[in-house]
Amino acid sequence: MLSRDTWKEIFETIQKNKLRTFLTGFTVALGIFIFVTLFGMGNGLNNTFAKFFGDDATNVFFVFPGRTTIPYKGYKANRRIEFENKDLTDIEDKFSMLLEYISPRITRNALVTYNDESDNYSTRAVGPAHQFAEKTILMKGRYINENDIKGKTKYAVIGRLVEQDLFKGEESIGKFIDLGGSVFKVIGVFQDDGGDNEERNIYIPFTTRQLIEKNTDKIDQIILAFRPEIGYAGAMAFEGKLDAFLRDKKFISPEDPNGIFIRNVADNLKQNQQFAAVLQIIISGIAFAVIISGIIGISNIMVFVVKERTKEIGIRKALGATPRKVTNSILFESIFITTISGFVGMIIGVVVLGQIGGKTLEDDYFITNPYIASGTAVFATILLIVCGTIAGYIPARRAAKIKPIVALRDE
């Protein structure tokens, strides 16, 4: 523990050298502040990737029909591909060992009315399994089931914000809404972690939508999930087999890039996780480079400090101070300043991260809730202080070895 005289000496020295103290403290505080904010931004980017994929299942394929660009087996180019109900059963039969569930989706926009309230909403005609693909969370009531599909019932599951907009706090379950000219009974209300846009959707049985549209059997897209136990490699193999199967079934050339599209969420997630990891490494490297520059700055300032105090050191040594005592007095002052400044910079950085995290930052820069773990921030601060002390020890030790007569002659 430092003696009272040592503390008094430290504070007197600081008071006499305000500029030097400010420069040393500013270098440390700025280094930690930049490290904390950069590292926090990197975590914010990771949060964005996690949020983007977190509201949907990750073992899912989204299969979209396209328009052919290459003639194939007697079929001309520019042919529009369409999916049908039979495609669902064919996929189930072909890939039953790999498939966990499957659902079609038909998306339409419609004017939805309840009493005097109305608005335009997106309606999704789906099967029961769609609930798992979208991670739809039921707040009350129930979801579409197999009986609804078979019976082509006019039942609707509405989003939380649809209920809020149309019913104005009134109970919605069991009430009837006009959906694009057809009357549907509300059987459930859901919420979704995907945000407001997801919660303004309305789900109905896909067979009911097909009945309304002149009893067609066409579907817009197919959503299917593979069994998680097959792993990433198995998912990639499954994607290739599914693509080949549908191309053969729909007479699409294997070389045609536009005939059919499969979005593999697992593959997208893995690629984005890898990108985020590399980005975080780069950001961490930049942040540590800032810390190193701070250490170099402390060392340079310590060289200046020692040079400025050469005569003082000579007088103290002439009065009997040992080299160790001279070195310690300089280092204790430096440690005190860097410690206070380091933790001030860390606190300011954490506060700034908390203040800048918001909707604007997320929308404009894809950074969601930037943060830094307290342990990481404290470790970086202590690391800078320790390394700065080591960097400052060299000039301090060198000064302590100067002979008193040489120090007193210094100009």
Side-chain angles (χ1 to χ4, degrees):
M1 193 71 180
L2 300 182
S3 65
R4 183 176 179 181
D5 289 340
T6 303
W7 281 112
K8 184 178 179 181
E9 180 183 341
I10 290 173
F11 286 117
E12 285 179 352
T13 304
I14 291 174
Q15 185 68 23
K16 291 177 182 178
N17 301 276
K18 295 185 178 65
L19 179 60
R20 168 167 54 81
T21 301
F22 171 78
L23 291 174
T24 305
F26 179 78
T27 301
V28 175
L30 182 63
I32 290 299
F33 171 79
I34 294 176
F35 173 83
V36 169
T37 51
L38 282 178
F39 200 90
M41 293 294 184
N43 286 334
L45 286 171
N46 280 328
N47 287 342
T48 301
F49 289 128
K51 181 179 179 180
F52 182 78
F53 289 96
D55 64 312
D56 295 333
T58 55
N59 61 324
V60 171
F61 297 157
F62 290 85
V63 188
F64 305 89
R67 189 178 291 274
T68 61
T69 57
I70 299 174
Y72 187 67
K73 290 187 177 181
Y75 290 89
K76 295 181 179 180
N78 202 35
R79 175 170 51 95
R80 182 185 175 189
I81 303 301
E82 294 182 319
F83 290 151
E84 304 166 348
N85 292 346
K86 192 174 186 307
D87 295 325
L88 300 175
T89 56
D90 288 344
I91 292 173
E92 286 183 286
D93 293 340
K94 178 71 174 179
F95 302 104
S96 58
M97 297 298 293
L98 301 173
L99 200 64
E100 186 172 45
Y101 56 78
I102 188 170
S103 171
R105 183 154 81 182
I106 306 169
T107 304
R108 300 286 185 270
N109 289 320
L111 178 66
V112 182
T113 304
Y114 175 74
N115 291 341
D116 296 330
E117 301 293 335
S118 64
D119 207 341
N120 285 296
Y121 296 100
S122 175
T123 65
R124 290 175 173 175
V126 300
H130 192 276
Q131 179 181 2
F132 308 112
E134 284 287 337
K135 291 187 177 180
T136 303
I137 304 167
L138 281 174
M139 299 172 61
K140 50 187 174 182
R142 68 173 178 84
Y143 200 73
I144 305 298
N145 61 29
E146 287 295 340
N147 289 332
D148 298 327
I149 301 300
K150 293 176 182 178
K152 302 179 181 180
T153 59
K154 289 190 175 182
Y155 289 161
V157 181
I158 64 175
R160 178 182 64 87
L161 295 182
V162 176
E163 181 188 46
Q164 180 179 304
D165 294 343
L166 297 181
F167 291 89
K168 306 297 182 184
E170 181 183 342
E171 177 56 57
S172 62
I173 301 296
K175 301 296 174 57
F176 292 88
I177 58 176
D178 184 302
L179 196 158
S182 298
V183 177
F184 281 75
K185 183 179 180 179
V186 178
I187 61 170
V189 179
F190 71 90
Q191 65 185 44
D192 194 298
D193 291 338
D196 292 356
N197 289 336
E198 291 292 331
E199 293 182 345
R200 284 196 165 90
N201 286 317
I202 298 175
Y203 294 122
I204 64 174
F206 75 91
T207 50
T208 305
R209 169 57 66 190
Q210 291 174 333
L211 179 64
I212 293 172
E213 297 181 353
K214 300 179 180 180
N215 205 27
T216 181
D217 65 346
K218 307 301 181 185
I219 55 181
D220 290 350
Q221 60 179 280
I222 299 172
I223 302 171
L224 57 90
F226 58 84
R227 297 182 186 277
E229 54 265 29
I230 71 175
Y232 176 74
M236 297 303 294
F238 182 16
E239 179 186 354
K241 292 177 181 178
L242 178 65
D243 181 78
F245 172 74
L246 289 174
R247 286 178 181 275
D248 181 66
K249 190 173 188 295
K250 298 295 181 180
F251 303 104
I252 304 170
S253 169
E255 308 300 324
D256 193 337
N258 298 319
I260 193 171
F261 304 93
I262 298 179
R263 183 167 77 89
N264 185 341
V265 176
D267 188 38
N268 291 344
L269 176 60
K270 186 177 182 66
Q271 290 179 9
N272 280 279
Q273 285 176 333
Q274 291 173 339
F275 173 75
V278 172
L279 196 60
Q280 183 70 305
I281 291 173
I282 294 172
I283 291 174
S284 300
I286 295 172
F288 275 107
V290 171
I291 287 184
I292 292 172
S293 68
I295 293 170
I296 295 173
I298 293 172
S299 179
N300 291 336
I301 290 173
M302 285 298 295
V303 171
F304 171 76
V305 168
V306 170
K307 183 174 180 60
E308 185 184 53
R309 298 176 64 180
T310 301
K311 284 189 176 181
E312 174 194 333
I313 293 170
I315 293 172
R316 294 184 63 179
K317 292 192 71 176
L319 294 175
T322 62
R324 181 177 180 180
K325 190 171 183 180
V326 171
T327 302
N328 288 345
S329 67
I330 297 174
L331 284 183
F332 287 152
E333 176 192 341
S334 176
I335 292 171
F336 175 74
I337 295 171
T338 53
T339 300
I340 299 298
S341 301
F343 281 98
V344 168
M346 181 194 74
I347 293 170
I348 293 174
V350 171
V351 171
V352 168
L353 282 179
Q355 293 296 320
I356 63 177
K359 190 69 175 175
T360 301
L361 191 67
E362 180 179 346
D363 291 342
D364 294 344
Y365 301 102
F366 306 104
I367 296 174
T368 304
N369 299 325
Y371 77 98
I372 184 170
S374 57
T376 303
V378 171
F379 172 78
T381 304
I382 293 175
L383 178 65
L384 178 58
I385 293 170
V386 171
C387 292
T389 300
I390 294 173
Y393 175 80
I394 298 174
R397 183 63 178 167
R398 188 181 300 142
K401 292 181 178 179
I402 298 176
K403 295 179 180 181
I405 188 64
V406 176
L408 291 173
R409 284 204 305 260
D410 183 73
E411 292 297 331

